[in-house]
Amino acid sequence: MSVDGVSSAPVGNGSALDQLVAQYESIQRRPIDELELKRDQLSDKSNTYSELKKKSKELKDLAMKYKRTGALSEFGSKTTSSSDEKILTSSANAKAIDGTHTVVVQQLAKADTLVSNQETRTGTNVSTTVGAGAKTFDITVNGTTFNLSVTLTGSETNSALMQAVVDQINGTTDIKVNASVVNDTGTTSRISLASKESGYDNRITIADTSGTLITTLGLDDSTKSVGTAGGYLYEDTELNSKLLVDNIAIEASSNKVTDVITGVTLDLKSADATKTITVGVDTDVDGLKTTVKDFMEKYNAVVDYINGASFIDKTTYLRGPLAGESAYQNMRFDLRAFIVEQVTGLDSGQPSTLAGIGVTISREGKLEFTDEDEFKKQAELDPTYISDLFNSTNGLASKVHDFLDNYTQTGGIIDQSEDTIEEKTRNINKRIKRYEAGLEVQIESYRRQFAQLQELMSGLQSQQASLSTVLNGSFYGGGF
């Protein structure tokens, strides 16, 4: 017979206790879970600010470049042509003026070169003549003199002696001479000294300052080399390049001629005094278009990002990180206003808006090339029609740069937004920490209470078992 009201089954064990505590903790953690969700949302918003700042800075930096004028202008792209690229090629910068020029290449520039006497490599005649000890000499190139020294034993072979001289020259810092040993036959060698830069101004002079090493080697800058004797290879008049540019005689120290036609570089490849080369300079319309497209892409990247982060789902009411953020909605609207408004201060008749060169703005606020023929027409009429829209005093580049600087500069609008996020995140972390500390105390308290209850129930179950035994014994023993 059993006693009603007291279960004979165990009230709980360790596993049941853990389940009860876990259920209680799950319920009590709901405020913490909500705070952690808010913290994650703030983190998403902070990442959005950082990415927007990056894209805005890229556009601002490009606008800064586009503000530049003159030779530094990003809109000065030029194309050049040469009627014979085997004789010369050409390139041009923003300073170049459209037109054609005639060029006759009469002579290429050369590097001044000295050679020594031809000597048998195994012979010792040079070291025997100059004797043992330190032999010093000066080398001068373009006004700079270097004093060098070679120490001999007096028994070196001509090959070893020549190599020692070459090593000394090549091991001298900043000397503008290349030295080498040339094995001109199977048994003989010569030293070759060549200026590192071409032209008369870079000719080499060399002379002994103690001993007769240089004289004995025949490295003579005043005598032309003939046969096996040392000396210079080119006359002074052969060192510069010579050309006629628009029938004007020109000499240059290099085969890259940069200071004759304004903004144009001529790369001389070969000489032919009988050929007249035509060099053309034109505006690079495709280059201009690429420059404008680069701006459009950076601008559209900013607009796209703001649009994408500003959505509001009408079904789920899910909102993007920038939805309702007036500072960033205004940023998008203000950028659009700058882009479509007229650029003031331009000459009458030239385009004063992007639409005037075939660039319009879509409903989403993005720039589009809608009339490339108009762009080409305006660029060919006058390339400054394109550049003035961007780099004039009141041009788009200045407006966009200065406007975005308010957002991207240190302490600017985006930094202020990020500071606000950081402050809110710190406060949430503090609240989470307080909640977790309090919850830990409560859980420990309830764990003790549950354990005490479990102990009490266990005692009751034991008493129930004893009482049942007594009652059952009395019943079967005839006590009732």
Side-chain angles (χ1 to χ4, degrees):
M1 178 178 173
S2 63
V3 180
D4 293 337
V6 181
S7 173
S8 60
V11 173
N13 53 31
S15 176
L17 176 58
D18 290 340
Q19 291 177 9
L20 286 171
V21 172
Q23 291 173 7
Y24 175 79
E25 182 178 7
S26 177
I27 294 171
Q28 296 302 313
R29 277 196 64 87
R30 287 173 185 172
I32 296 176
D33 293 340
E34 291 175 0
L35 288 173
E36 288 177 340
L37 177 61
K38 288 182 179 179
R39 184 175 63 187
D40 291 342
Q41 292 170 340
L42 288 174
S43 178
D44 289 343
K45 183 170 284 193
S46 178
N47 292 336
T48 300
Y49 290 146
S50 296
E51 186 64 19
L52 178 59
K53 184 176 182 179
K54 175 186 173 184
K55 293 183 181 298
S56 298
K57 193 172 186 306
E58 288 174 352
L59 175 58
K60 186 190 81 170
D61 291 346
L62 187 65
M64 182 66 184
K65 291 171 62 178
Y66 282 15
K67 288 171 61 176
R68 293 185 285 204
T69 59
L72 298 177
S73 173
E74 295 292 320
F75 299 90
S77 183
K78 299 285 185 178
T79 60
T80 63
S81 60
S82 167
S83 60
D84 191 338
E85 293 192 346
K86 291 182 180 179
I87 292 180
L88 70 87
T89 59
S90 58
S91 59
N93 62 31
K95 287 184 177 181
I97 300 171
D98 292 1
T100 59
H101 304 272
T102 60
V103 180
V104 178
V105 181
Q106 301 168 317
Q107 175 177 290
L108 294 182
K110 302 174 185 66
D112 189 23
T113 304
L114 307 180
V115 294
S116 71
N117 298 329
Q118 183 188 74
E119 301 290 352
T120 302
R121 287 197 288 276
T122 57
T124 59
N125 56 295
V126 176
S127 61
T128 300
T129 300
V130 301
K135 313 302 174 182
T136 61
F137 55 96
D138 285 344
I139 294 181
T140 302
V141 179
N142 201 5
T144 302
T145 299
F146 297 84
N147 184 256
L148 292 83
S149 178
V150 175
T151 300
L152 303 176
T153 64
S155 61
E156 290 88 353
T157 63
N158 293 333
S159 177
L161 184 147
M162 288 182 175
Q163 192 61 54
V165 172
V166 165
D167 290 345
Q168 182 64 30
I169 295 172
N170 290 336
T172 301
T173 303
D174 295 330
I175 193 167
K176 295 188 179 298
V177 174
N178 287 318
S180 58
V181 175
V182 178
N183 298 326
D184 56 344
T185 73
T187 59
T188 61
S189 298
R190 307 176 80 164
I191 291 176
S192 173
L193 305 181
S195 177
K196 290 182 179 180
E197 297 179 9
S198 61
Y200 175 83
D201 289 341
N202 295 302
R203 65 194 185 282
I204 303 168
T205 61
I206 185 168
D208 291 304
T209 54
S210 70
T212 59
L213 177 61
I214 299 304
T215 301
T216 304
L217 284 169
L219 286 168
D220 188 349
D221 59 62
S222 63
T223 302
K224 189 175 179 67
S225 174
V226 177
T228 61
Y232 60 81
L233 296 185
Y234 307 116
E235 300 288 351
D236 288 351
T237 56
E238 297 179 87
L239 297 178
N240 283 342
S241 59
K242 295 181 181 181
L243 56 161
L244 295 176
V245 177
D246 297 334
N247 289 320
I248 299 172
I250 303 295
E251 283 196 29
S253 62
S254 171
N255 289 316
K256 184 182 288 290
V257 182
T258 59
D259 54 356
V260 175
I261 304 172
T262 302
V264 177
T265 296
L266 303 175
D267 286 305
L268 310 184
K269 305 297 184 182
S270 64
D272 189 337
T274 67
K275 277 193 175 182
T276 299
I277 311 304
T278 300
V279 175
V281 181
D282 293 292
T283 297
D284 183 3
V285 174
D286 289 338
L288 272 177
K289 185 188 295 184
T290 298
T291 300
V292 173
K293 281 186 174 180
D294 287 346
F295 181 87
M296 293 167 62
E297 288 175 3
K298 296 295 185 186
Y299 174 89
N300 289 344
V302 173
V303 172
D304 264 344
Y305 195 76
I306 297 176
N307 288 343
S310 301
F311 70 88
I312 300 177
D313 191 305
K314 295 181 180 179
T315 302
T316 63
Y317 300 105
L318 184 66
R319 298 164 63 86
L322 297 183
E325 295 277 349
S326 60
Y328 300 100
Q329 302 311 309
N330 290 339
M331 178 184 182
R332 176 175 50 178
F333 298 141
D334 290 343
L335 274 173
R336 179 175 184 142
F338 289 142
I339 288 299
V340 300
E341 71 181 7
Q342 280 192 328
V343 175
T344 60
L346 303 183
D347 292 340
S348 176
Q350 73 178 100
S352 59
T353 65
L354 286 178
I357 61 170
V359 179
T360 57
I361 197 162
S362 69
R363 292 181 59 185
E364 294 80 19
K366 297 171 62 177
L367 293 173
E368 299 176 336
F369 252 122
T370 52
D371 193 343
E372 297 196 20
D373 289 339
E374 184 63 25
F375 181 90
K376 182 178 181 181
K377 171 187 170 183
Q378 297 298 335
E380 289 178 344
L381 278 174
D382 190 338
T384 62
Y385 287 177
I386 309 300
S387 60
D388 285 352
L389 284 173
F390 290 89
N391 64 13
S392 61
T393 302
N394 300 308
L396 296 175
S398 289
K399 291 178 180 179
V400 170
H401 174 273
D402 295 347
F403 173 74
L404 290 177
D405 195 46
N406 293 324
Y407 283 84
T408 61
Q409 65 180 310
T410 302
I413 294 172
I414 295 179
D415 276 2
Q416 293 172 23
S417 296
E418 291 181 324
D419 289 345
T420 300
I421 293 294
E422 289 177 5
E423 180 62 27
K424 288 181 178 180
T425 301
R426 282 195 295 269
N427 290 335
I428 286 176
N429 286 334
K430 290 178 183 178
R431 292 176 64 188
I432 289 174
K433 189 174 182 179
R434 287 197 298 269
Y435 269 120
E436 288 179 334
L439 180 59
E440 186 177 344
V441 171
Q442 291 179 19
I443 289 173
E444 185 58 33
S445 173
Y446 284 122
R447 186 181 293 277
R448 287 195 300 270
Q449 293 180 40
F450 286 145
Q452 291 170 0
L453 178 60
Q454 185 179 32
E455 184 178 352
L456 175 62
M457 294 300 293
S458 178
L460 290 173
Q461 288 172 349
S462 177
Q463 291 177 19
Q464 177 194 17
S466 298
L467 180 60
S468 295
T469 300
V470 171
L471 290 176
N472 289 333
S474 299
F475 176 79
Y476 290 112
F480 293 97

Short mmCIF file of all heavy atoms in Angstrom, two decimals, residues 105 107-111 198-200 238-242 252-256 268:
data_model
loop_
_atom_site.label_atom_id
_atom_site.label_comp_id
_atom_site.label_asym_id
_atom_site.label_seq_id
_atom_site.Cartn_x
_atom_site.Cartn_y
_atom_site.Cartn_z
N VAL A 105 67.34 63.51 -88.32
CA VAL A 105 68.34 63.03 -87.37
C VAL A 105 69.66 62.84 -88.12
O VAL A 105 69.81 61.92 -88.93
CB VAL A 105 67.91 61.72 -86.70
CG1 VAL A 105 68.96 61.27 -85.69
CG2 VAL A 105 66.55 61.89 -86.00
N GLN A 107 72.84 62.77 -86.50
CA GLN A 107 73.85 62.04 -85.74
C GLN A 107 73.28 61.64 -84.39
O GLN A 107 72.58 62.44 -83.75
CB GLN A 107 75.08 62.93 -85.54
CG GLN A 107 76.18 62.35 -84.68
CD GLN A 107 77.38 63.27 -84.59
OE1 GLN A 107 78.12 63.46 -85.57
NE2 GLN A 107 77.60 63.87 -83.42
N LEU A 108 73.56 60.43 -83.95
CA LEU A 108 73.17 59.99 -82.61
C LEU A 108 74.25 60.37 -81.59
O LEU A 108 75.43 60.42 -81.92
CB LEU A 108 72.96 58.48 -82.57
CG LEU A 108 71.79 57.91 -83.39
CD1 LEU A 108 71.72 56.40 -83.18
CD2 LEU A 108 70.48 58.57 -83.01
N ALA A 109 73.81 60.62 -80.36
CA ALA A 109 74.76 60.90 -79.28
C ALA A 109 75.51 59.62 -78.90
O ALA A 109 74.97 58.51 -78.99
CB ALA A 109 74.03 61.46 -78.07
N LYS A 110 76.75 59.78 -78.49
CA LYS A 110 77.59 58.65 -78.11
C LYS A 110 78.20 58.89 -76.73
O LYS A 110 78.38 60.04 -76.31
CB LYS A 110 78.70 58.43 -79.12
CG LYS A 110 78.22 58.20 -80.56
CD LYS A 110 79.40 58.14 -81.50
CE LYS A 110 78.94 58.03 -82.96
NZ LYS A 110 78.23 59.25 -83.40
N ALA A 111 78.54 57.80 -76.08
CA ALA A 111 79.26 57.88 -74.81
C ALA A 111 80.76 57.95 -75.10
O ALA A 111 81.29 57.13 -75.86
CB ALA A 111 78.95 56.68 -73.94
N SER A 198 75.91 59.80 -72.29
CA SER A 198 76.40 60.25 -73.59
C SER A 198 76.58 61.77 -73.60
O SER A 198 76.16 62.48 -72.69
CB SER A 198 75.42 59.84 -74.69
OG SER A 198 74.16 60.44 -74.46
N GLY A 199 77.23 62.24 -74.66
CA GLY A 199 77.34 63.68 -74.89
C GLY A 199 78.69 64.27 -74.55
O GLY A 199 79.47 63.72 -73.75
N TYR A 200 78.93 65.43 -75.15
CA TYR A 200 80.20 66.14 -74.98
C TYR A 200 80.46 66.51 -73.51
O TYR A 200 81.59 66.43 -73.03
CB TYR A 200 80.19 67.40 -75.85
CG TYR A 200 81.38 68.29 -75.69
CD1 TYR A 200 82.58 68.04 -76.36
CD2 TYR A 200 81.33 69.41 -74.85
CE1 TYR A 200 83.69 68.86 -76.20
CE2 TYR A 200 82.42 70.24 -74.68
CZ TYR A 200 83.60 69.96 -75.36
OH TYR A 200 84.68 70.79 -75.19
N GLU A 238 81.64 64.26 -82.26
CA GLU A 238 80.80 63.08 -82.50
C GLU A 238 79.98 62.69 -81.27
O GLU A 238 79.15 61.77 -81.34
CB GLU A 238 81.67 61.89 -82.90
CG GLU A 238 82.44 62.04 -84.19
CD GLU A 238 83.28 60.82 -84.49
OE1 GLU A 238 82.74 59.89 -85.12
OE2 GLU A 238 84.46 60.78 -84.06
N LEU A 239 80.17 63.38 -80.16
CA LEU A 239 79.57 62.94 -78.91
C LEU A 239 78.12 63.35 -78.74
O LEU A 239 77.33 62.64 -78.11
CB LEU A 239 80.40 63.44 -77.72
CG LEU A 239 81.84 62.90 -77.65
CD1 LEU A 239 82.57 63.50 -76.45
CD2 LEU A 239 81.85 61.37 -77.58
N ASN A 240 77.75 64.52 -79.24
CA ASN A 240 76.36 64.98 -79.12
C ASN A 240 75.50 64.46 -80.26
O ASN A 240 76.00 64.21 -81.36
CB ASN A 240 76.30 66.50 -79.11
CG ASN A 240 76.71 67.11 -77.78
OD1 ASN A 240 76.73 66.42 -76.77
ND2 ASN A 240 77.05 68.38 -77.79
N SER A 241 74.19 64.33 -79.99
CA SER A 241 73.27 64.07 -81.09
C SER A 241 73.07 65.38 -81.86
O SER A 241 73.15 66.47 -81.29
CB SER A 241 71.92 63.56 -80.57
OG SER A 241 71.32 64.51 -79.70
N LYS A 242 72.83 65.24 -83.16
CA LYS A 242 72.62 66.42 -84.00
C LYS A 242 71.38 66.18 -84.84
O LYS A 242 71.20 65.10 -85.43
CB LYS A 242 73.83 66.66 -84.91
CG LYS A 242 75.09 67.04 -84.15
CD LYS A 242 76.25 67.29 -85.09
CE LYS A 242 77.53 67.65 -84.32
NZ LYS A 242 78.68 67.92 -85.22
N ALA A 252 72.21 67.91 -78.79
CA ALA A 252 71.80 67.49 -77.45
C ALA A 252 72.76 66.41 -76.96
O ALA A 252 73.35 65.67 -77.75
CB ALA A 252 70.37 66.94 -77.49
N SER A 253 72.92 66.32 -75.66
CA SER A 253 73.87 65.36 -75.10
C SER A 253 73.31 63.95 -75.09
O SER A 253 74.06 62.99 -74.90
CB SER A 253 74.25 65.77 -73.67
OG SER A 253 73.12 65.76 -72.84
N SER A 254 71.99 63.82 -75.27
CA SER A 254 71.34 62.51 -75.17
C SER A 254 70.59 62.20 -76.45
O SER A 254 70.32 63.09 -77.27
CB SER A 254 70.38 62.51 -73.99
OG SER A 254 69.58 61.35 -73.98
N ASN A 255 70.20 60.95 -76.61
CA ASN A 255 69.32 60.56 -77.71
C ASN A 255 67.85 60.64 -77.32
O ASN A 255 66.98 60.33 -78.12
CB ASN A 255 69.65 59.14 -78.18
CG ASN A 255 70.99 59.09 -78.89
OD1 ASN A 255 71.29 59.95 -79.72
ND2 ASN A 255 71.79 58.07 -78.56
N LYS A 256 67.61 61.06 -76.09
CA LYS A 256 66.25 61.39 -75.64
C LYS A 256 66.20 62.91 -75.53
O LYS A 256 66.68 63.50 -74.55
CB LYS A 256 65.92 60.72 -74.31
CG LYS A 256 64.48 60.95 -73.84
CD LYS A 256 64.23 60.31 -72.49
CE LYS A 256 64.17 58.80 -72.60
NZ LYS A 256 62.94 58.34 -73.32
N LEU A 268 65.55 59.29 -80.21
CA LEU A 268 66.27 59.03 -81.45
C LEU A 268 66.76 57.59 -81.49
O LEU A 268 67.41 57.11 -80.56
CB LEU A 268 67.46 60.00 -81.56
CG LEU A 268 67.16 61.49 -81.33
CD1 LEU A 268 68.42 62.32 -81.56
CD2 LEU A 268 66.03 61.97 -82.22
#
